Amino acid sequence: MTDQQADPVEGHPSPPGAARPLRKWRLASGQTLLWVVAGVVGILGLVFGSHYYRYAVSHESTDNAFIEGHIIPISPEVAGHALRVSVRDNQEVNEGDILVEIDPRDLEVRLQQARATLAAAIARERGAKVNIRLTSVTSGAGVEQAASGVQAARAQAAAARSRFEQTQAQVQVALANADQARAQVTAAEAEATRATTDVERFRQLYAESGVSRQQLDFAVAAASTATAQLEAARKRLVAAQAQVAEAQTAGQAAADTLRQAEAQVGEAMGRLAGANAAPQQVAISRSQADTSAAEIEQAQAAVKQAELQLSYTRIRAPEGGRVTRKNVEPGAYVQVGQSLMALVPRRVWVIANFKETQLTHMRPGQPADIKVDAYPGRIFKGHVDSIQSGTGARFSLLPPENATGNYVKVVQRVPVKIVFDEPLDPSRPFGPGMSVVPTVKVR
């Protein structure tokens, strides 16, 4: 068909002049459609562009952000062998849960020794008070005898009676000394028990090559010394008991003397001379009683310290969280301050390092959307808590010194703390160092 064109509708040949108007009409229709599409695209681009512009000027975002939280190192305050380890790696614990138990036997012996020392101090104070009463009685009897001026027979009887009371007080003193000797025996027994326990432990450690022969010999020598001290304390107890018997015998003799001294005058004059020095003796006895009271306070403080040291054998969680980096096992010997594990509390937040040019309109309290890389598709709500007063580079280990060398201006970053507004799901771990992308609405 060169001269005629087929009719596109009927399929019949068209006149030669009808082809050009049809092409012009199709071209015009295509151009019109193109302009319509271009206009629609332009309108949509304008709408979405204006929306994106408004969003961009009212929000600030950064991918230089991480989850942050406290990491609490767990260290012992006393040295010893780890008796039990009650937790495992990545285990959730609550505040007050026992993490590690240290062998408490050494500290229990020290506590017994401190309590025995306290008992001895109390016994010494009791003896000092008895001495005060004894001196007061003696002084009172002598002064009364000198002031009364009664006949020689009554003076001798009063002197004998005072002597009898003095012997009774000496019996009390002897009893107090015996109590003190018993307390010293108890303290020596506690020390001997501790030394014997150390020898057994060092022998076991020596058999396992855990200590040297010199340390074992030192422990054996300490045990021998403690045993000798225990034997000496027991001998002192026997001597104190003998003094009690002697004081009781003297008391009986004083009773006999009281019956014989009713006619004697010279003994009354001797007690008058002794009564002149009685006030000084009372002062000395009171000073000894005050010293004993101070020793009691010191012994009580030692008991409290021993109890506190014993409580340190149970290491507890300072707050709830997750156990990490556990490096202790039962039977290991731990030192004071040694890192046993770390505890990461459940409370976390976000540290976002925004450019300084992004902080123009950023203020604490502004809302923020937080995207966590570990949980795509989930947006967490939060708000700006605070903005660090200084750039991150300024607080680095080696801060820049711009006054030296060539200077190149670099946009600095400032850490911004963002906290979560909603409680986090315990089944989804949030640990320090995880990457996040926060977006803060600043307008």
Side-chain angles (χ1 to χ4, degrees), residues 114 118 122 293-307:
L118 175 61
I122 294 175
E295 291 178 352
I296 289 177
E297 293 181 357
Q298 183 177 3
Q300 289 175 343
V303 169
K304 291 181 179 179
Q305 182 179 9
E307 292 174 345

Side-chain angles (χ1 to χ4, degrees), residues 70-75 87-91 93 99 318 321-328 339-345:
H70 295 298
I71 300 177
I72 304 175
I74 303 299
S75 303
V87 294
R88 61 184 184 277
D89 280 324
N90 301 320
Q91 177 181 338
V93 296
L99 305 178
R322 185 183 294 269
V323 174
T324 58
R325 301 182 66 85
K326 182 178 75 71
N327 57 358
V328 60
S339 177
L340 303 182
M341 63 188 70
L343 184 65
V344 180

Side-chain angles (χ1 to χ4, degrees), residues 24 44-45 65 176 188 190 193 195 213 269 279 361 395 407 430 432:
K24 292 181 180 180
L44 292 177
T193 301
R213 180 66 186 184
M269 296 301 295
H361 303 288
F395 291 94
Y407 173 69
F430 285 82

Side-chain angles (χ1 to χ4, degrees), residues 197-387:
T197 303
D198 287 343
V199 169
E200 294 299 326
R201 184 181 300 111
F202 273 79
R203 283 176 178 170
Q204 294 177 1
L205 293 174
Y206 178 74
E208 299 173 358
S209 299
V211 296
S212 64
R213 180 66 186 184
Q214 181 181 5
Q215 291 176 318
L216 176 59
D217 293 339
F218 180 80
V220 172
S224 299
T225 302
T227 303
Q229 292 177 350
L230 174 60
E231 185 64 24
R234 288 174 176 170
K235 290 181 180 179
R236 287 195 294 271
L237 176 60
V238 173
Q241 292 175 344
Q243 290 178 358
V244 171
E246 182 181 356
Q248 291 175 346
T249 303
Q252 184 64 36
D256 296 337
T257 302
L258 179 61
R259 291 190 296 268
Q260 298 174 1
E262 295 178 351
Q264 296 180 359
V265 180
E267 185 178 353
M269 296 301 295
R271 277 194 296 273
L272 177 61
N276 292 328
Q280 290 79 6
Q281 295 177 358
V282 171
I284 293 174
S285 299
R286 293 187 184 278
S287 176
Q288 293 176 349
D290 294 339
T291 302
S292 299
E295 291 178 352
I296 289 177
E297 293 181 357
Q298 183 177 3
Q300 289 175 343
V303 169
K304 291 181 179 179
Q305 182 179 9
E307 292 174 345
L308 185 62
Q309 292 288 324
L310 183 60
S311 68
Y312 290 156
T313 57
R314 291 188 173 184
I315 303 176
R316 301 178 180 273
E319 61 178 292
R322 185 183 294 269
V323 174
T324 58
R325 301 182 66 85
K326 182 178 75 71
N327 57 358
V328 60
E329 298 298 335
Y333 188 84
V334 298
Q335 299 284 354
V336 177
Q338 176 182 344
S339 177
L340 303 182
M341 63 188 70
L343 184 65
V344 180
R346 301 183 182 94
R347 183 169 55 88
V348 296
W349 58 91
V350 173
I351 293 298
N353 299 303
F354 284 97
K355 297 179 181 179
E356 55 186 335
T357 55
Q358 295 178 289
L359 303 179
T360 304
H361 303 288
M362 192 172 296
R363 300 292 183 271
Q366 292 174 341
D369 293 337
I370 304 170
K371 296 179 181 179
V372 182
D373 290 2
Y375 309 110
R378 176 72 187 275
I379 297 178
F380 299 89
K381 297 297 182 180
H383 66 274
V384 176
D385 179 78
S386 58
I387 301 174

